[in-house]
Amino acid sequence: MSSRKVTVRTLRQKKRRGEPITMMTAYDYPTARWVDEAGIDVILVGDSLGMVVLGYPNTLPVTMEAMLHHAKAVARGAKRALLVGDMPFMSYQVSIETALRNAGRFLQEAGMDAVKIEGGREQVDTVRALVEAGIPVMGHIGLTPQKVMQFGGFRLQGRTAEAAKRLVEDALALQEAGCFALVLEMVPAQIAGYITQRLDIPTIGIGAGPDCDGQVLVFHDLVGMFEEFTPKFVRRYANIGAEIRKALQAYKEDVEARRFPASEHSTYMEEEEWQTFLRLMQET
Ligand code: KIV
């Protein structure tokens, strides 16, 4: 693995060479370090943090301030990966000017290299304005969680031929507007494969089958730290939640049984100082 910083150019080259692109979410400093050290190409500070870190039922309550707070921590932990800040609900939909200001904050204040926005043709003007301002934009179509209320749940998108055709048109429009890559979330595998073939920019799939140029998962799903539900497309590589539960139980039992802290966890005064202290206390 090269230690050179991953850029949008690196991703384009990987697509051209047919090398899979890896992307993972991170929301804090230690996770960013682990993901970066693993050689993952792209770290997404996703607004999924609203669900897996902040405990909301969806991503809608996530604010720009929360995103910047987490993005700054991630930027302190990662050296090599391309860092993408996820524009939260209502940070880019209101006006192009708002989108520019908020996207700019990700780069200027939080150390991100790029931003991601959800949506298809309706976001083309915004993408164009951001790209013209020098801000690299990753698109995101298919299941776009910020429209969960409109979709009536987290459901597969592009199931019918007509809906799939609209997805292809959205993908082409976003590429034309200047996106450097495109997330395809929860779309039929054949459609994701078709879009990947049609586009020059890389596609990154989540629940979109094996034929995308890259894959992304939410860190907490991957390591078993989000236990409310597990989407069908997730492969769990560890069960950290169960390990944490075990550790907390053991700690509680040790404290209650006075097994912790043991002498190796404690620091004692020099004996002479201690005796002087006891004499002093007797005099008072
Ligand atoms: O917010 C997020 O983590 C995302 C990924 C699931 C692509 O948008």
Side-chain angles (χ1 to χ4, degrees):
M1 174 189 74
S2 153
S3 60
R4 280 176 65 179
K5 171 81 183 167
V6 177
T7 65
V8 298
R9 206 165 145 256
T10 319
L11 303 190
R12 246 193 328 264
Q13 288 167 341
K14 282 195 120 178
K15 173 162 180 136
R16 221 172 290 133
R17 292 198 292 256
E19 291 172 20
I21 295 165
T22 51
M23 175 158 128
M24 180 57 48
T25 67
Y27 317 104
D28 56 36
Y29 171 80
T31 312
R33 282 195 65 162
W34 291 323
V35 175
D36 201 53
E37 283 164 17
I40 302 279
D41 297 312
V42 185
I43 297 181
L44 171 67
V45 186
D47 65 352
S48 50
L49 72 85
M51 297 174 75
V52 301
V53 175
L54 303 179
Y56 293 121
N58 54 50
T59 60
L60 304 188
V62 178
T63 61
M64 258 317 282
E65 298 313 316
M67 289 305 302
L68 292 172
H69 176 74
H70 287 273
K72 286 176 193 174
V74 167
R76 287 192 286 268
K79 292 186 173 62
R80 176 184 170 273
L82 180 81
L83 303 180
V84 181
D86 208 3
M87 302 276 289
F89 186 52
M90 285 299 129
S91 69
Y92 57 96
Q93 291 94 336
V94 178
S95 68
I96 290 181
E97 193 183 320
T98 322
L100 278 164
R101 281 196 200 293
N102 285 322
R105 292 188 74 191
F106 271 113
L107 272 66
Q108 258 186 330
E109 296 174 34
M112 297 288 102
D113 303 312
V115 299
K116 174 169 85 58
I117 70 175
E118 296 184 5
R121 64 202 72 189
E122 74 281 12
Q123 295 302 339
V124 156
D125 290 342
T126 303
V127 171
R128 209 167 271 128
L130 295 177
V131 172
E132 273 170 19
I135 301 172
V137 182
M138 177 179 275
H140 182 165
I141 59 171
L143 172 67
T144 44
Q146 291 172 18
K147 289 196 176 141
V148 63
M149 295 305 176
Q150 215 167 41
F151 293 150
F154 297 104
R155 300 170 193 290
L156 187 78
Q157 300 297 306
R159 280 173 188 270
T160 65
E162 272 306 313
K165 182 166 174 279
R166 280 197 298 278
L167 280 179
V168 175
E169 290 163 359
D170 281 342
L172 289 167
L174 288 167
Q175 168 172 274
E176 217 271 312
C179 282
F180 71 86
L182 191 59
V183 169
L184 302 176
E185 179 164 357
M186 282 185 84
V187 303
Q190 305 99 309
I191 301 307
Y194 181 85
I195 292 174
T196 302
Q197 288 288 318
R198 287 285 304 268
L199 294 188
D200 298 322
I201 59 171
T203 61
I204 317 274
I206 174 162
D211 295 327
C212 297
D213 296 306
Q215 296 291 329
V216 57
L217 280 179
V218 167
F219 176 81
H220 289 59
D221 288 334
L222 176 100
V223 300
M225 278 176 72
F226 181 71
E227 297 169 323
E228 269 75 351
F229 60 88
T230 306
K232 170 182 155 75
F233 54 77
V234 167
R235 179 179 285 170
R236 250 196 200 179
Y237 286 85
N239 200 352
I240 302 298
E243 289 300 311
I244 290 175
R245 227 177 256 114
K246 252 195 296 185
L248 290 170
Q249 194 58 40
Y251 165 74
K252 177 178 180 288
E253 285 168 13
D254 279 354
V255 171
E256 287 173 353
R258 300 189 188 285
R259 286 190 296 265
F260 179 82
S263 59
E264 68 266 30
H265 306 115
S266 309
T267 310
Y268 292 91
M269 228 177 202
E270 291 296 325
E271 184 57 28
E272 201 182 315
E273 280 305 316
W274 172 236
Q275 293 306 329
T276 311
F277 168 77
L278 288 177
R279 271 196 308 280
L280 259 176
M281 296 314 287
Q282 267 170 359
E283 285 162 15
T284 56

